[in-house]
Structure formats: C-alpha cells, structure tokens
Amino acid sequence: MSAANTLVDDRPGGTVALEILRTRLVASVDELAAVLARSAPTIEVGQAREFSVAICDARGQVVAVDNAAELPSIQATVSHVIDYFEFDIDDGDVVLTNDPSAGGTRVQDITLVAPYLVDSHVVGLIAVRTRIRDIGGQVGGNVNPEATELLAEGVVVTPVKIQRLGRPVRDVVAAFLLNGRRPEETRRTITAALAVLDMGKQRCAELVRRHGVDLVRQSFSYAQDYTEQIARGLVRTWRSGSYSDHRELLLASGGEPTVIRLAAEVEGGNVTLDFSESDDQSSQFVNSPAGVTASCAMRAVLAALGEAVPANGGLLRVVRVVTRPGSIVDPVQPAAVGCGMHHPGGEVTNVVAATLNPARARPVPSLTVPRPAVLCRPADNRSDQIDLGRWAIGGASATGSADGWGGPQISARGELPSVEQWEAEQYPAVESLEFAMDSAGAGAHTGAPAVEATFVLPPDLLFTLWTESLQSSVAGTDGGGAGRPGSLEFQTPDGWAPAPLVVTEAPVGAATRLRMRLGGGGGLGDPRSRDRAAVQSDLADELISPEAAHKVYRLEGQNSNG
C-alpha cells in the first residue's frame, strides 16, 4: 500500500483524504449534470442547460453544485424543504417544489430534493432544479409579460412529496402533471431528474462504503470550510470600506425608472450587500425573488474572486445579502416574477460588480446584457411556445486582457443553437445570422459584437414579446465605450418597423420576417490605444465601419467613404 493510500485509509480526518473527497464530490455533480443534459427530453435542458444539480449536507448547505449561478437560490430551497418536512423525511422520499418565495426562481423551474440516509439518519441531500416547458398559467410556456400576479404566470407548488419510501405518490404526480399543457413531456423530464437523484445517492453510498460515513460527513464540512478560507483570504486583500451605487431598470412604456440601490460593506474578510433601499416591488413581471437576487449578486462576487473559489455554502458565510420584503429585489406574493432572473436580476449583478470595483485592484466589467422576451406559437396550439430569444447572442464585455466574445460568461453555460438542428426540429426558419457592424463597445479591448438573426415567418403565428429592456446598453469600463443597444423589428409590406413593447399571444400584422439583435458588449480602455493591427482586422472582418475606424479609433486613411 502506498504512502498516499495509507494516509487515506489510516487517517480518516487527514487533510489529504478530505481533499480527495472534496474533489470527488465536485466530479460527482458534474457527472450528474452531464447525465441530466443527455437524458432530458427538451432543448431547454439538454442544450440550453437550464438546470442545476447540487449535493447538500444534512442542514441543506450546498457542498457542491454544477451551476454556480444558482448557489444561494438552490441552498435556500433545500433548506426550506428540510424545515417544511422536519422529522418527516425518509429514505426513498422525493420532494418537489417550484415556489419562488421559498428560494425558487420562477414557476417553470421545478426543484426535486431527495435525502440520503445511513442508519435512519440524514447524511446529505441531492437536489435537481430543472426547467419544464409549461405549468399552467394564462400563457403557454409561463412567460407572461402582462402578468400582474404570480398565478397568472403558472401554478405554484409548495413542497410536496411525489415519492414516499421509494414509491410514487400517484395522485400528487397526476395532479401536478394535469396542471400543465405538456404533461407527457413534463413526466419524462421528472423521470430524468429522478434518475439523477438516484444516481447521486448511489455516488454518496459509494463514498460511504469506501471511506465511512463519519469521514464523508467531515468532507461535507471541509469542502465549505475550504471555500470560506479561500474566499475570506481574497476579500481581505480588498480595500475595507463602505461603497454604494445604484442601477435603474428603464421601462420604455413610460413612468419613472425602478431603482436598485446597493450599500456594500467590506470589512475583516466579510462582505455585506444591502439592497434594502431599493424601490418597492413592481406591478409588472420584473420582480426578482430573494433567492434570485442573492444568486445574481453572488455571480458578481464569484467573478471578482476568480475561478480559484469553489462554489458552495462556504461562500455564503463570507458574503451576506440583505433585502427588504416588498421590494423589487424581494417581492411578496402575489407579485409576478417571470422576468426576474434577467431583469432586474441583470441589474443586480452589474450593480454589485460596479459597487465592489473601487475595493479591488482590477475592475470587473459588465457581466450581463439586456434581454428581451421573444416567443411564438402556432395559432392552433397553445402548448407549443418557441423561444426565439435563444438566438439573442452576444453582449460579453471586454476584460483587462482580451476582447469580449459571444455571450457574457455567466450566461454562456448552454450550447449555442445550431441552425441545422433548429430547422430540423423547430421553426421559423433562420434566413441569416451575421455579426452586426459597429455593435461592439469600442475600447483598447472591444466588447463582443452582437449577432443579428433574421427569421422567415410562416403565417398564423402568435407572438409573446417584451422588448422594454432593449433601450438599455451594456456599459464600458475604464474609458471604454458602451455597446450598441439591441433591437427587434418586423418586416411588413411597408418595410421594417420596431416590434411592439409588450404583446401577449397576438398576431403581428402582415409580418413576413423578424430581425433580432442583442446589445453589443462594453469596451474597456481608450479606443485610441487599441492595437492598430487589431483595428485593421476588425475593419477587414466588417466588425467596424470605415467611419468608426477613423473617428473612434483614429485609424489614418479611413473615412466614412472607405
């Protein structure tokens, strides 16, 4: 037996053994995530990867999660499930919930939680959060821009057991499925999630058989202690002090903008992010549940800390998020929340990054891009909502060492859609997909260019649109320019015209084409200091116009006539 194996076997509390277990737990959630992506029946899960998988300790604290962007939210949901079923959770039980007020995100994101027990004691819990395509509500697909209350978006499910002692609770499952418009597809999604939960329990059982239950429990604590120690050490290198900033959620429909206000405190290796002074909750669907707000805030913190910090509950010991119930970042029922992950979630992420930038040596650029809601369906099929917003590509801001490219890192988890696969499985047809000239924010390093997608529209489509966010642009950093705002237009016999601000399952005149462009990413640094060869390359690739090359980048010999 080698020295390393002797250490693992004979010193159950040794750091090497605990570190091996920590990395195995991380590998396990990655494996579970890959299985879910391969087995789920929808492109929202399999390709867009709208899901999370986590292993939690017996208190519900996250030990490992595959989707760091949902760390606080999924931990809040699992903790709520534990409290809800206190003294009533057994081996073989599976709990389902989608409640946005209890750590959830939106009604179409369901969370399944299963305990792992040894000798009748809970050692840990496995959680899977996954997107389903419909769970009732007034609008198929649960994206309802005109919703003024949560029930208009879909059916809310407080924690219920869909499996008890390993056996399905058939009446509960049947009632849940009958509340949606795509019951068979939802059943298959739940079946895939249940398989992942079982696999997660098997992985925990394998670790217990090999290392013993006590060491596995210690590894759960060690993983969080490890993250806490690294994160706290990095925060101690930041400048202590109080910082504040705000972001406005601009709604083109008029009225005063909604303001997200942040007061941040950095002191002694701790960070407090206080959103209590933010405006009251909105009557529209642009409210961010507390779990979403914490998750969006943590995205900026993780970007500031860097990839050396594993995402788990240890980070939440270092960073505390404070919200006020009844505010836009912590709405109370029956507020609608369908857009909250993007708006004001995106504004939350960016205000945290901007507020903490003065405390750090290197600033974090804009991390999100304003996103519209663009869905369509055949007039004769309410359940078949197609999300054209998946083609809203771009918006990554420049970093200190590179140009932006593609989507912001925190939203680049999913695969980009394939035109060939799309046209084989979906509609409408993609006529063109091109970079939009002069869309990227200028700078020494440029933002990502926006991608302009044009679709050929078949007759008899009904559209659900929310384009109010498109008037906002992605800000630049350190003298870099803002990206050009996005746009959504329809081609009619009279030419191209801007899309309506808000439409719910309605025809759009005699439109034959739709053209969509997400905003470009923000630039970083003075554009005049950009490498001349890079400017020439951008010009040759038609990412910038001759006029921009001359006026913005001061490239000699270029003018508006080329």
Side-chain angles (χ1 to χ4, degrees):
M1 182 177 291
S2 69
N5 286 334
T6 301
L7 181 61
V8 171
D9 293 339
D10 297 342
R11 296 180 54 186
T15 302
V16 172
L18 292 171
E19 179 63 14
I20 290 171
L21 279 170
R22 184 190 71 81
T23 58
R24 285 181 177 169
L25 290 165
V26 172
S28 292
V29 294
D30 289 341
E31 178 190 18
L32 299 178
V35 170
L36 182 59
R38 288 197 299 267
S39 58
T42 66
I43 60 172
E44 286 80 4
V45 177
Q47 193 174 80
R49 296 179 67 86
E50 294 183 37
F51 66 84
S52 303
V53 180
I55 296 175
C56 305
D57 65 18
R59 298 174 300 152
Q61 312 300 296
V62 172
V63 175
V65 62
D66 81 299
N67 185 357
E70 292 199 7
L71 164 63
S73 174
I74 202 163
Q75 178 162 304
T77 296
V78 175
S79 297
H80 177 68
V81 167
I82 292 172
D83 292 341
Y84 195 91
F85 285 103
E86 188 176 13
F87 309 122
D88 184 26
I89 195 158
D90 295 298
D91 193 21
D93 289 356
V94 175
V95 176
L96 181 149
T97 182
N98 69 344
D99 190 351
S101 67
T105 52
R106 52 188 180 174
V107 292
Q108 60 266 46
D109 292 334
I110 60 172
T111 304
L112 290 81
V113 180
Y116 169 66
L117 285 77
V118 174
D119 297 330
S120 301
H121 295 287
V122 176
V123 175
L125 300 102
I126 316 299
V128 173
R129 173 172 292 160
T130 184
R131 164 83 181 275
I132 58 175
R133 291 186 64 192
D134 191 272
I135 182 60
Q138 293 177 341
V139 177
N142 308 114
V143 178
N144 184 357
E146 296 181 328
T148 58
E149 63 176 5
L150 189 59
L151 289 177
E153 296 182 313
V155 176
V156 182
V157 182
T158 56
V160 294
K161 290 188 181 182
I162 63 168
Q163 189 169 291
R164 187 185 295 273
L165 301 176
R167 301 185 66 179
V169 185
R170 299 187 186 281
D171 54 346
V172 173
V173 174
F176 177 77
L177 294 175
L178 287 173
N179 273 292
R181 297 176 179 87
R182 306 177 69 87
E184 186 53 37
E185 179 184 88
T186 300
R187 183 192 298 276
R188 291 163 58 202
T189 300
I190 291 174
T191 299
L194 290 172
V196 169
L197 291 177
D198 285 341
M199 187 175 179
K201 292 194 293 182
Q202 291 172 17
R203 293 294 176 266
C204 289
E206 291 166 3
L207 294 177
V208 167
R209 283 196 297 271
R210 182 169 182 179
H211 302 281
V213 67
D214 290 338
L215 186 59
V216 170
R217 282 198 179 101
Q218 289 179 47
S219 72
F220 287 0
S221 297
Y222 168 82
Q224 296 175 75
D225 294 343
Y226 179 86
T227 288
E228 178 186 6
Q229 182 178 1
I230 295 176
R232 204 176 294 284
L234 290 170
V235 169
R236 286 196 176 102
T237 68
W238 296 1
R239 300 181 187 90
S240 296
S242 300
Y243 307 91
S244 62
D245 206 336
H246 71 279
R247 284 293 181 274
E248 294 181 345
L249 178 58
L250 301 173
L251 301 179
S253 54
E256 294 296 319
T258 298
V259 183
I260 296 95
R261 299 179 180 88
L262 173 61
E265 185 79 24
V266 179
E267 184 65 41
N270 293 290
V271 178
T272 300
L273 304 173
D274 190 344
F275 293 91
S276 299
E277 297 302 315
S278 297
D279 283 357
D280 290 344
Q281 65 190 51
S282 172
S283 60
Q284 300 186 47
F285 77 149
V286 288
N287 295 289
S288 175
V292 171
T293 296
S295 293
C296 291
M298 212 60 61
R299 295 174 186 179
V301 173
L302 284 165
L305 293 174
E307 296 181 357
V309 180
N312 61 42
L315 182 60
L316 306 187
R317 304 172 187 170
V318 178
V319 183
R320 185 169 69 101
V321 177
V322 180
T323 56
R324 172 177 61 86
S327 68
I328 189 135
V329 292
D330 187 0
V332 297
Q333 290 194 17
V337 300
C339 194
M341 296 173 66
H342 298 302
H343 301 288
E347 285 76 13
V348 167
T349 299
N350 284 332
V351 76
V352 172
T355 303
L356 294 179
N357 272 344
R360 302 178 62 254
R362 298 182 64 180
V364 173
S366 294
L367 297 170
T368 67
V369 58
R371 297 188 65 87
V374 186
L375 299 99
C376 65
R377 70 169 176 86
D380 60 353
N381 188 346
R382 294 195 66 192
S383 71
D384 192 21
Q385 287 282 8
I386 302 298
D387 184 7
L388 298 181
R390 294 194 60 227
W391 291 96
I393 302 169
S397 292
T399 67
S401 58
D403 295 341
W405 199 255
Q409 183 178 0
I410 61 172
S411 61
R413 167 179 164 87
E415 300 173 6
L416 294 178
S418 156
V419 173
E420 292 78 10
Q421 182 180 359
W422 176 275
E423 293 188 342
E425 301 174 355
Q426 306 281 352
Y427 58 88
V430 179
E431 182 177 64
S432 64
L433 196 65
E434 301 174 338
F435 288 118
M437 184 181 291
D438 292 335
S439 59
H445 293 293
T446 66
V451 174
E452 190 170 87
T454 303
F455 301 89
V456 178
L457 303 179
D460 300 324
L461 284 184
L462 301 182
F463 284 87
T464 294
L465 306 173
W466 186 79
T467 66
E468 297 196 60
S469 63
L470 287 178
Q471 64 178 319
S472 302
S473 59
V474 179
T477 308
D478 281 356
R484 195 168 85 195
S487 67
L488 188 71
E489 301 171 302
F490 285 94
Q491 186 182 43
T492 69
D494 297 325
W496 288 97
L501 294 177
V502 180
V503 167
T504 303
E505 295 196 315
V508 182
T512 57
R513 284 173 173 77
L514 179 149
R515 185 164 64 196
M516 176 173 56
R517 187 186 71 245
L518 202 63
L524 185 146
D526 188 340
R528 293 171 297 183
S529 64
R530 183 165 175 77
D531 180 76
R532 299 294 89 182
V535 178
Q536 291 280 12
S537 177
D538 292 343
L539 186 62
D541 292 336
E542 298 185 349
L543 297 178
I544 61 173
S545 63
E547 183 178 14
H550 173 66
K551 291 186 176 181
V552 178
Y553 293 98
R554 299 293 192 266
L555 188 66
E556 297 299 328
Q558 299 295 328
N559 55 51
S560 59
N561 296 319

